[in-house]
């Protein structure tokens, strides 16, 4: 089939439609929708129906654009009053937690590859740390969609904590990934230089995120646009500009986008409800496209060669690295019960973000980048199956699930042919 705009839209529309239907059906049986989107991409890929997509650069661009929207939307949906009681815990998990996970997992991978020479995966220590860094953050798209699609309400402020952590720890994993790639390409980089790069990216991400978030609200409330829908488009442009401007100045664009969304979402703003609805829908669309693209990108035949080592690393991360990291990070805090800490450690979901980050070594021509990508892909599937499908069950088992609060809003969509305009004169008699 020739690659024309018509064929591209034809195949793309079928993929998206099929993903929505399969995802909706799988949700009823407790299967995470995002996992099914990934499997649909694999089904239609080169080893399935035969759709050819092998461009890691394009996949990286698709993933970056999707992450910008997902993080901005997640920030807008995060209410400061909800995350304020667990803000310190969330920040520690999203910063120190990512670093601790990288070191624990990286050391384990280094030892494992020496004990399994038949796997032909004897990476240097920096390479093992790179593989661990790629997988060191929990996936915001997976956590947001599973917690919200399941309508899961949790005790001990666990839901705001998990959403804050997953929404804010991707930037740290991204910074570690970029730094380790730079080190592998030029081992002359000193530890001091890498630490300075990390601090600079973090500071610039915070500063520019806050500034552009406030600027977006200021302009939105003062500009007079003819159509209400244009406000959503303008904020999308703000999100894209925030990421690109921050990245160009060597800051962390992903962190800036999340902070901008958090600032904008917690301010009074014109057309705020329609803007949030717009970003929620766009985020879901881009999640589907992102998972489909990553599913199409992988070659399932190559996964067999790394299946064993992927399972071992995945089980280690679920049962050892993640719980150890969570308990170490939350050691100074006394708010959460032991059951709450265990639940936080269980919701260490890996998803599209680690797979996207795994394309960076491939694009940078890092040795064994193809194996790194395939291992990360396998571990993501394991995480979504084992952890993603069992989150509601584990929450109920630990007695952490609470009934949903009463609805504060009442909204009804009235058909146009039922709409009517009436004129009513209010007199003193009616007011008496």
């Amino acid at each position: 089939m020739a690659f024309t705009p018509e064929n591209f839209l034809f195949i793309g529309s079928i993929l998206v439609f099929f993903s929505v239907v399969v995802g909706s059906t799988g949700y009823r049986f407790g299967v995470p929708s995002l996992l099914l989107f990934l499997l649909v991409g694999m089904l239609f890929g080169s080893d399935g129906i035969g759709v050819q997509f092998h461009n890691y650069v394009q996949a990286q661009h698709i993933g970056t654009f999707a992450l910008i929207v997902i993080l901005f939307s997640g920030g807008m949906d995060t209410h400061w009053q909800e995350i304020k009681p667990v803000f310190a815990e969330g920040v520690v998990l999203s910063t120190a937690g990512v670093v601790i996970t990288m070191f624990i997992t990286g050391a384990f991978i280094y030892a494992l590859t020496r004990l399994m020479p038949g796997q032909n995966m004897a990476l240097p220590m920096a390479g093992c740390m790179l593989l661990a860094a790629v997988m060191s953050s929990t996936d915001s798209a997976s956590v947001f969609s599973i917690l919200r699609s399941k309508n899961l309400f949790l005790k001990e402020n666990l839901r705001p904590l998990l959403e804050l952590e997953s929404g804010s720890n991707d930037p740290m994993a991204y910074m570690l990934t970029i730094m380790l790639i730079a080190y592998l390409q030029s081992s002359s980089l000193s530890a001091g230089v890498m630490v300075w790069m990390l601090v600079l990216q973090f500071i610039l991400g915070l500063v520019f995120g806050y500034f552009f978030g406030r600027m977006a609200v200021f302009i939105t409330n003062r500009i007079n646009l003819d159509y209400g829908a244009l406000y959503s488009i303008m904020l999308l442009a703000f999100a894209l500009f925030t990421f690109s401007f921050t990245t160009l100045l060597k800051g962390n664009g992903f962190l800036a986008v999340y902070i901008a969304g958090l600032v904008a979402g917690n301010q009074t703003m014109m057309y705020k409800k329609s803007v949030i609805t717009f970003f929620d829908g766009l985020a879901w669309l881009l999640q589907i496209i992102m998972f489909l693209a990553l599913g199409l990108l992988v070659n399932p035949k190559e996964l067999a060669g790394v299946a064993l080592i992927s399972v071992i690393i995945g089980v280690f991360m679920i049962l050892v690295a993640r719980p150890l990291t969570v308990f170490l990070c939350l050691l100074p805090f006394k708010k959460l019960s032991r059951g709450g800490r265990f639940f936080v450690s269980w919701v260490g979901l890996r998803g599209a973000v680690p797979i996207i980050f795994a394309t960076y070594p491939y694009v940078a021509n890092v040795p064994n980048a193809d194996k790194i990508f395939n291992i990360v892909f396998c571990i993501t599937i394991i995480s979504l199956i084992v952890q993603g499908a069992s989150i509601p069950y584990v929450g109920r088992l630990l007695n952490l699930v609470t009934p949903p609060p009463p609805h504060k809003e009442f909204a009804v969509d009235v058909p146009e042919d039922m709409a009517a305009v009436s004129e009513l004169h209010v007199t003193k008699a009616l007011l008496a």
Side-chain angles (χ1 to χ4, degrees):
M1 181 181 290
F3 187 82
T4 63
E6 293 81 8
N7 292 336
F8 174 79
L9 293 175
F10 176 72
I11 296 173
S13 60
I14 292 176
L15 282 171
V16 173
F17 177 79
F18 195 71
S19 298
V20 172
V21 173
V22 170
S24 176
T25 304
Y27 165 74
R28 298 175 187 174
F29 296 96
V31 181
S33 301
L34 301 180
L35 172 63
L36 296 175
F37 299 156
L38 204 61
L39 296 179
V40 168
M42 295 173 65
L43 174 65
F44 279 81
S46 56
D47 285 350
I49 294 177
V51 177
Q52 300 297 319
F53 181 71
H54 305 291
N55 195 316
Y56 283 79
V57 176
Q58 290 182 4
Q60 190 180 107
H61 292 167
I62 292 171
T64 299
F65 179 69
L67 277 179
I68 292 171
V69 175
I70 291 168
L71 289 172
F72 189 82
S73 176
M76 290 198 70
D77 285 337
T78 302
H79 301 291
W80 171 248
Q81 293 302 321
E82 293 180 357
I83 67 171
K84 186 178 179 180
V86 293
F87 181 75
E89 292 93 326
V91 170
V92 172
L93 283 171
S94 63
T95 52
V98 173
V99 177
I100 294 172
T101 299
M102 181 193 71
F103 279 113
I104 294 175
T105 307
F108 176 78
I109 294 172
Y110 184 79
L112 180 65
T113 54
R114 268 69 188 165
L115 294 173
M116 300 177 64
Q119 294 292 311
N120 194 25
M121 275 291 296
L123 297 173
M125 179 58 79
C128 295
M129 289 296 168
L130 174 60
L131 174 55
V134 167
M135 301 181 295
S136 59
S137 69
T138 57
D139 184 63
S140 55
S142 302
V143 173
F144 287 162
S145 63
I146 289 176
L147 291 180
R148 295 178 184 184
S149 64
K150 298 290 185 181
N151 202 26
L152 198 62
F153 291 88
L154 302 165
K155 301 175 183 177
E156 303 182 25
N157 287 316
L158 287 174
R159 179 166 163 174
L161 173 61
L162 291 166
E163 293 187 352
L164 173 62
E165 180 203 6
S166 64
S168 58
N169 64 8
D170 295 336
M172 179 61 76
Y174 170 78
M175 288 187 281
L176 294 173
T177 300
I178 296 301
M179 283 194 307
L180 286 166
I181 290 175
Y183 177 79
L184 287 168
Q185 291 178 328
S186 175
S187 56
S188 60
L189 283 177
S190 65
V193 172
M194 290 193 292
V195 170
W196 168 245
M197 290 170 56
L198 189 68
V199 172
L200 182 64
Q201 285 199 41
F202 193 80
I203 292 175
L204 292 179
L206 286 174
V207 171
F208 288 132
Y210 180 81
F211 174 78
F212 287 119
R214 294 300 298 263
M215 183 64 69
V217 174
F218 179 83
I219 293 178
T220 300
N221 288 337
R222 284 162 178 78
I223 195 172
N224 186 18
L225 300 177
D226 293 332
Y227 301 99
L230 291 177
Y231 288 90
S232 300
I233 305 299
M234 185 179 67
L235 279 175
L236 175 60
F238 256 104
L240 298 175
F241 180 82
T242 299
F243 173 84
S244 56
F245 183 86
T246 306
T247 303
L248 287 172
L249 293 183
K250 308 302 180 183
N252 191 291
F254 292 118
L255 177 60
V257 166
Y258 179 75
I259 296 298
L262 183 64
V263 170
N266 285 275
Q267 301 290 324
T268 302
M269 187 169 56
M270 294 283 293
Y271 295 96
K272 184 176 179 179
K273 187 174 182 180
S274 63
V275 166
I276 291 177
T277 302
F278 167 82
F279 273 98
D280 283 344
L282 184 59
W284 265 109
L285 173 63
L286 291 174
Q287 284 181 53
I288 294 173
I289 294 174
M290 177 172 60
F291 274 81
L292 282 175
L294 295 173
L296 290 170
L297 188 64
V298 73
N299 187 346
K301 292 179 181 178
E302 297 178 356
L303 299 181
V306 297
L308 179 59
I309 194 170
S310 300
V311 170
I312 296 174
I313 297 173
V315 171
F316 177 82
M317 293 189 72
I318 293 173
L319 299 181
V320 180
R322 172 68 178 177
L324 184 57
T325 297
V326 169
F327 276 85
L328 285 174
C329 289
L330 297 181
L331 197 59
F333 305 100
K334 307 301 180 184
K335 299 176 184 177
L336 294 181
S337 65
R338 182 174 298 179
R341 295 166 194 253
F342 180 81
F343 186 79
V344 172
S345 68
W346 188 253
V347 190
L349 284 166
R350 270 66 198 177
V353 173
I355 303 176
I356 293 168
F357 289 168
T359 64
Y360 283 81
Y362 199 97
V363 173
N365 294 317
V366 172
N368 290 307
D370 55 339
K371 293 181 180 178
I372 290 175
F373 180 86
N374 289 329
I375 289 173
V376 172
F377 194 93
C378 286
I379 291 174
T380 295
I381 294 178
I382 294 169
S383 176
L384 287 173
I385 292 175
V386 176
Q387 295 171 290
S390 61
I391 285 176
Y393 172 76
V394 173
R396 288 191 291 269
L397 183 67
L398 296 172
N399 193 30
L400 294 171
V401 178
T402 184
H407 292 289
K408 297 180 180 179
E409 296 182 0
F410 179 76
V412 177
D413 291 329
V414 180
E416 292 183 0
D417 55 357
M418 292 179 62
V421 178
S422 300
E423 184 176 347
L424 177 65
H425 293 280
V426 180
T427 63
K428 293 182 179 180
L430 289 174
L431 296 174

